[in-house]
Amino acid sequence: MFLGLLSALFFSSTFILNRAISLSGGHWFWTAALRYLWMTALLVGWLFLSGKGSQLVGAFRLFFRHLFFWCLTGSIGFGIFYSLISFSASFAPGWVVATTWQMTILATPLVLFLFGKKVPLRALAYTLVIFAGIVAVNFGQAYQVSLRELFLGGIPVLVAAIAYPLGNQMLWEAQRQGNRILPAIESDLLNNPFIRILLLTLGTVPFWIILYLGAHPPAPSPGQMTSTLLVALFSGVIATTLFLQARHLATNSYQLTAVDSLQSCEVLFSLLGEIIFLGGALPTAAGCTGIILTLAGLTLYIKAQAATKSQEL
């Protein structure tokens, strides 16, 4: 439970630091692209220093063997996802982005359905509560910003919430049997989560080049370089490691449910972090109601999903 809560704290640094970069004038393109540049350096360094140089070489061979797949999957699951999250930080407070981002919980069953998987309809009943919470949060924000800023701060996050599970599911399909569109990739290297993240990160390179040519961003400041490094370290490395370790220590479905549910605390940590470090305003009554609904809906959803899995077993 403690590790799960701690991972949510580090995950929330993404929303706080992205907002800080935006308020200081940093361009959203570099907020997104630099994170994955730092992630590549951290992952390569970790694999090399941990004595897994042979796996690193094998990863690059696997990357070029299925170049189109990794570029497509990485661009969707990492590139589109995070560029839109970073873009939204220019128009909405971090806690609003964090709350709206919980929509990815609802998008995951939709993605599974598109791939012909069975969707737990019982758990989906709680998605209406989550959706109501997200609407309330953005409605409360509408009093403080223009309609244009509201849409630019919210709609991109909703698209990102679909792109992230879509990219993850594409990798899952390729690891198992592939399909008419996706190749079947059988390699023991993919059992290493760091290798999977590295391959997807490398796959974003064409996406960032194309986006750079379209956005024409000014050069990043030294402060933006440092902040994106912190995001890569806190969210990409520390938070992910803590979250996976918390799930590994869980011994039953109830503990797994608790760990997953605690990730919704990203919303609260983002709100507190923005108020403390960035002088952010307190949410309105509608915003507070939305946060409560979102957290409650997420908890009920995950519990119902766990109950469904237990019955199947």
Side-chain angles (χ1 to χ4, degrees):
M1 289 285 288
F2 174 73
L3 291 179
L5 190 63
L6 200 58
S7 69
L9 174 63
F10 279 101
F11 274 131
S12 68
S13 66
T14 295
F15 305 105
I16 300 170
L17 288 170
N18 283 3
R19 183 60 173 172
I21 292 171
S22 173
L23 292 175
S24 64
H27 196 279
W28 58 267
F29 170 82
W30 293 116
T31 299
L34 286 174
R35 166 179 169 163
Y36 287 100
L37 176 63
W38 288 122
M39 281 294 298
T40 301
L42 291 171
L43 289 168
V44 170
W46 168 257
L47 290 169
F48 181 78
L49 294 176
S50 60
K52 297 180 180 178
S54 59
Q55 289 191 21
L56 186 59
V57 173
F60 278 98
R61 289 176 178 171
L62 188 62
F63 175 75
F64 287 107
R65 192 181 307 152
H66 300 282
L67 182 62
F68 178 77
F69 169 79
W70 293 114
C71 289
L72 176 64
T73 308
S75 294
I76 294 174
F78 280 7
I80 292 177
F81 144 65
Y82 200 65
S83 62
L84 292 175
I85 289 290
S86 301
F87 178 83
S88 293
S90 300
F91 301 94
W95 66 270
V96 173
V97 176
T99 305
T100 308
W101 167 245
Q102 304 308 314
M103 192 72 177
T104 192
I105 299 293
L106 319 186
T108 298
L110 174 61
V111 170
L112 292 174
F113 178 77
L114 292 176
F115 279 90
K117 307 300 180 184
K118 188 175 180 180
V119 178
L121 296 178
R122 178 184 175 186
L124 284 178
Y126 297 112
T127 62
L128 293 177
V129 180
I130 303 173
F131 183 74
I134 292 172
V135 170
V137 164
N138 284 274
F139 180 76
Q141 178 70 3
Y143 290 101
Q144 305 173 21
V145 300
S146 66
L147 186 62
R148 174 179 177 274
E149 290 178 312
L150 181 64
F151 276 97
L152 291 177
I155 299 301
V157 183
L158 297 180
V159 177
I162 297 175
Y164 184 69
L166 178 59
N168 287 337
Q169 188 61 27
M170 290 171 67
L171 176 57
W172 189 91
E173 295 286 339
Q175 280 186 262
R176 271 98 185 140
Q177 71 279 347
N179 53 40
R180 290 177 296 178
I181 300 176
L182 302 176
I185 303 178
E186 297 181 3
S187 174
D188 292 337
L189 291 171
L190 296 181
N191 293 328
N192 185 334
F194 294 108
I195 294 292
R196 295 198 300 269
I197 296 173
L198 176 61
L199 289 169
L200 290 171
T201 301
L202 292 173
T204 64
V205 172
F207 175 84
W208 299 125
I209 293 175
I210 294 173
L211 193 59
Y212 174 82
L213 295 175
H216 296 292
S221 66
Q224 189 169 16
M225 296 281 288
T226 302
S227 295
T228 52
L229 172 59
L230 292 176
V231 171
L233 179 62
F234 290 159
S235 182
V237 177
I238 297 178
T240 302
T241 301
L242 289 171
F243 177 66
L244 293 177
Q245 180 63 14
R247 286 188 123 260
H248 176 73
L249 293 175
T251 57
N252 55 59
S253 61
Y254 295 101
Q255 293 179 357
L256 284 172
T257 298
V259 172
D260 289 346
S261 298
L262 284 172
Q263 298 314 297
S264 61
C265 290
E266 294 172 16
V267 177
L268 298 178
F269 288 137
S270 297
L271 174 60
L272 292 175
E274 188 154 345
I275 293 173
I276 295 172
F277 297 110
L278 304 180
L282 291 170
T284 62
C288 291
T289 301
I291 291 175
I292 294 172
L293 286 173
T294 301
L295 296 179
L298 284 168
T299 302
L300 292 171
Y301 174 88
I302 295 173
K303 285 185 176 181
Q305 194 174 43
T308 301
K309 291 180 179 179
S310 298
Q311 291 176 359
E312 291 176 352
L313 294 175

